[in-house]
């Protein structure tokens, strides 16, 4: 690395805040989130509503539908997770004993990477350390990791090797302000989540050192910090981010650091906002949990059609979709979740030109008789993506001089003042009809 590159960003807020979103992140549109940890062993959370549909009060935390919050739900001392734990493992069974159950005997990083490639993703974000504090790499700063305990495997290292082989970019999730190994207090309000009792200088230094270790060892294309960065370490955050940007030329960060630090903003299920003026990312699980929840069946998972529609809606409004899978304790991926990714990838293989490397059009979305239309564009073309079709006869205003059908179905197109489409095939299984207008 040249001196010029090394000194490009200074360890000041003004300098790191001048960083711009790299083009690869604008272009790739789809990422895969992986929530994997000790919570994958009990694989339990009560079924509930999506984040943003209910108030984040004490009851929500006690009945938390996120399986990765198992330890906090257990510490609250009542509610479905606590009752399940006492009944299944016993009242005195310590959460950290789940290291023995994280066997990973079926963890196949090549199969994971191949699946993510087949899904059409451009980047993959692994939970290197979630709130429970368990690390999925051989960190020199703690023995509470997957190499020293449990599966005795460096999950991050093994996965990263296979991601590189598939030309997929690595992203690392890190739980910044929260670490339940440093805290014993159950969190029962948003204030407690944002102000945990582990926010000490000792812990802030630990978090700084671990993220720097991830940067130096793995050079991730993306760092996905969660909740906030420790307040006790906020004064060193410009130093950390400058080091990251200078080490990874096309690195990018999310908005969960505090004090305005971000490259893009995030929306989680129904909480958060999308923006046409600033890059953002939509994230959610295939179910209502990020960590694997054995209770979630077909009815609790987003359908393939809904997943495709979510991607279309997100991209039309200037976002990326980060869709999550939660592997099982043995390292295998739930077949239902894998199926969703494969079907999304099959759709993208045909219609990818209307998604990848596109930008928002002057018109993002409009209803029409017989369906809805979303728009994306490039310098050469405008794409109309028709969803929720109820009619085989569609009429829409042309957005270019020539129209062609990208979706491989039998249909006739006539264009004058309007583009008239008459579909000959059945539409029940048609997730989205894509028309390309040449500019």
């Amino acid at each position: 690395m040249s001196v010029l590159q090394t000194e490009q960003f200074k360890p000041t807020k003004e300098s790191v805040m001048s960083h711009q979103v790299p083009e690869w992140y604008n272009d790739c549109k789809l990422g895969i989130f992986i929530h994997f940890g000790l919570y994958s062993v009990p694989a339990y959370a009560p079924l509930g509503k999506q984040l943003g549909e209910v108030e984040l009060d004490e009851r929500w935390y006690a009945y938390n539908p996120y399986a990765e919050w198992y330890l906090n739900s257990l510490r609250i001392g009542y509610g479905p997770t606590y009752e399940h734990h006492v009944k299944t493992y016993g009242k005195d069974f310590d959460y950290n004993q789940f290291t023995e159950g994280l066997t990973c005997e079926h963890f196949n990083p090549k199969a994971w990477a191949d699946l993510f490639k087949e899904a059409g993703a451009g980047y993959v974000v692994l939970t290197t350390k979630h709130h429970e504090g368990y690390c999925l790499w051989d960190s020199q700063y703690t023995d509470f990791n997957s190499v020293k305990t449990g599966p005795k495997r460096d999950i991050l290292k093994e996965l990263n090797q296979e991601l590189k082989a598939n030309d997929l970019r690595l992203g690392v999730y890190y739980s910044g302000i929260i670490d339940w190994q440093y805290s014993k207090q159950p969190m029962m309000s948003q204030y407690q989540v944002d102000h945990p009792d582990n926010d000490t200088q000792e812990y802030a230094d630990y978090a700084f050192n671990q993220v720097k270790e991830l940067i130096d060892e793995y050079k991730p294309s993306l760092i996905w910090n969660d909740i906030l960065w420790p307040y006790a370490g906020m004064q060193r955050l410009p130093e950390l981010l400058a080091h990251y940007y200078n080490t990874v030329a096309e690195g990018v960060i999310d908005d969960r650091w505090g004090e305005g630090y971000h490259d893009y903003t995030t929306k989680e299920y129904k909480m958060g906002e999308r923006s046409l003026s600033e890059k953002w990312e939509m994230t959610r699980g295939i179910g209502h949990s990020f960590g694997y929840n054995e209770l979630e069946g077909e009815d609790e998972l987003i359908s393939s059609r809904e997943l495709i529609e979510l991607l279309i809606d997100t991209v039309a409004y200037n976002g990326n979709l980060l869709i999550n899978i939660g592997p099982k304790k043995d390292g295998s991926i739930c077949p239902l979740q894998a199926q969703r990714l494969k079907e999304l990838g099959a759709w993208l293989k045909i219609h990818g030109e209307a998604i990848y490397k596109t930008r928002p059009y002057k018109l993002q979305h409009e209803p029409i008789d017989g369906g809805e239309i979303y728009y994306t564009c490039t310098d050469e073309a405008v794409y109309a993506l028709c969803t929720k079709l109820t009619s085989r006869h569609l009429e829409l205003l042309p957005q270019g001089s020539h129209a062609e059908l990208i979706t491989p179905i039998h249909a006739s197109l006539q264009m004058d003042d309007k583009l008239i489409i008459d579909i000959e095939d059945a539409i029940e299984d048609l997730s989205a009809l894509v028309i390309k207008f040449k500019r």
Side-chain angles (χ1 to χ4, degrees), residues 35-43 67-68 70 95 127 130 132 291-292:
H35 274 63
F36 192 45
L38 299 189
Y39 45 82
S40 305
V41 179
E68 66 275 14
Y70 187 99
Y95 179 86
T127 50
H130 206 270
E132 65 182 6
Y292 179 62

Side-chain angles (χ1 to χ4, degrees), residues 229-385:
W229 190 248
Y231 300 112
M234 193 61 74
Q235 74 280 1
R236 294 190 69 191
L237 186 54
E239 175 189 347
L240 182 65
L241 295 182
H243 177 68
Y244 174 54
Y245 290 146
N246 290 328
T247 302
V248 182
E250 293 187 308
V252 64
I253 66 169
D254 69 343
D255 62 343
R256 303 188 180 198
W257 302 82
E259 295 190 1
Y261 292 101
H262 73 285
D263 287 318
Y264 65 87
T265 62
T266 54
K267 187 176 188 296
E268 183 174 335
Y269 285 94
K270 296 188 176 181
M271 181 172 287
E273 302 295 332
R274 57 189 181 186
S275 171
L276 284 172
S277 61
E278 188 171 28
K279 190 64 183 180
W280 62 282
E281 182 183 71
M282 169 71 202
T283 188
R284 59 156 293 161
I286 289 177
H288 288 180
S289 173
F290 284 90
Y292 179 62
N293 182 0
E294 289 182 337
L295 296 185
E296 289 189 337
E298 186 79 47
D299 292 343
E300 284 74 42
L301 305 186
I302 188 171
S303 70
S304 296
R305 178 193 290 261
E306 291 169 332
L307 182 55
I308 292 167
E309 291 174 352
L310 176 62
L311 175 64
I312 291 170
D313 179 272
T314 300
V315 172
Y317 282 92
N318 198 36
N320 280 11
L321 175 61
L322 183 64
I323 190 69
N324 179 83
I325 56 108
K328 298 180 180 181
K329 63 185 179 181
D330 63 3
S332 64
I333 296 174
C334 169
L336 289 175
Q337 295 190 20
Q339 179 190 31
R340 297 301 193 274
L341 296 187
K342 290 178 180 179
E343 290 176 352
L344 175 61
W347 185 87
L348 278 167
K349 191 172 184 179
I350 297 170
H351 303 91
E353 68 174 277
I355 299 295
Y356 302 123
K357 297 185 178 180
T358 62
R359 297 294 182 268
Y361 187 49
K362 62 182 179 182
L363 179 64
Q364 288 79 53
H365 171 254
E366 63 178 348
I368 59 170
D369 290 338
E372 299 181 13
I373 303 179
Y374 291 88
Y375 295 95
T376 63
C377 69
T378 65
D379 290 340
E380 294 77 31
V382 176
Y383 297 92
L385 301 96

Side-chain angles (χ1 to χ4, degrees), residues 84-300:
H84 169 81
H85 187 84
V86 171
K87 179 180 179 181
T88 307
Y89 304 103
K91 187 175 181 179
D92 297 328
F93 186 94
D94 185 76
Y95 179 86
N96 288 2
Q97 290 179 254
F98 283 132
T99 54
E100 300 170 12
L102 193 70
T103 58
C104 293
E105 72 263 32
H106 296 306
F107 169 54
N108 184 336
K110 183 180 185 303
W112 281 23
D114 289 346
L115 173 63
F116 305 151
K117 187 72 173 182
E118 183 180 353
Y123 60 107
V124 177
V125 182
L126 176 69
T127 50
T128 60
K129 187 204 79 167
H130 206 270
H131 308 328
E132 65 182 6
Y134 191 70
C135 299
L136 298 185
W137 83 100
D138 192 14
S139 176
Q140 64 176 302
Y141 298 102
T142 180
D143 288 339
F144 192 55
N145 65 58
S146 63
V147 177
K148 299 295 194 302
T149 68
K152 305 292 180 65
R153 297 178 68 173
D154 193 321
I155 306 298
L156 176 58
K157 182 178 181 180
E158 291 186 43
L159 179 60
N160 187 40
Q161 290 173 344
E162 297 301 334
L163 294 180
K164 287 181 178 179
N166 274 278
D167 294 321
L168 292 169
R169 290 178 178 267
L170 171 70
V172 294
Y173 165 107
Y174 188 85
S175 175
I177 198 170
I178 297 177
D179 190 317
W180 292 325
Q181 297 302 312
Y182 284 76
S183 167
K184 304 302 179 185
Q185 176 186 358
M187 296 173 174
M188 303 172 71
S189 70
Q190 190 61 47
Y191 180 85
Q192 288 178 312
V193 170
D194 292 342
H195 299 83
D197 60 354
N198 64 268
D199 185 20
T200 63
Q201 190 61 56
E202 177 190 6
Y203 172 69
D205 291 342
Y206 172 74
F208 180 99
N209 289 333
Q210 281 207 312
V211 172
K212 187 174 183 298
E213 181 180 47
L214 289 169
I215 293 168
D216 293 340
E217 292 294 324
Y218 294 97
K219 298 177 176 53
S221 293
L222 185 151
I223 302 180
W224 214 98
N225 188 65
D226 202 5
I227 310 295
L228 290 164
W229 190 248
Y231 300 112
M234 193 61 74
Q235 74 280 1
R236 294 190 69 191
L237 186 54
E239 175 189 347
L240 182 65
L241 295 182
H243 177 68
Y244 174 54
Y245 290 146
N246 290 328
T247 302
V248 182
E250 293 187 308
V252 64
I253 66 169
D254 69 343
D255 62 343
R256 303 188 180 198
W257 302 82
E259 295 190 1
Y261 292 101
H262 73 285
D263 287 318
Y264 65 87
T265 62
T266 54
K267 187 176 188 296
E268 183 174 335
Y269 285 94
K270 296 188 176 181
M271 181 172 287
E273 302 295 332
R274 57 189 181 186
S275 171
L276 284 172
S277 61
E278 188 171 28
K279 190 64 183 180
W280 62 282
E281 182 183 71
M282 169 71 202
T283 188
R284 59 156 293 161
I286 289 177
H288 288 180
S289 173
F290 284 90
Y292 179 62
N293 182 0
E294 289 182 337
L295 296 185
E296 289 189 337
E298 186 79 47
D299 292 343
E300 284 74 42

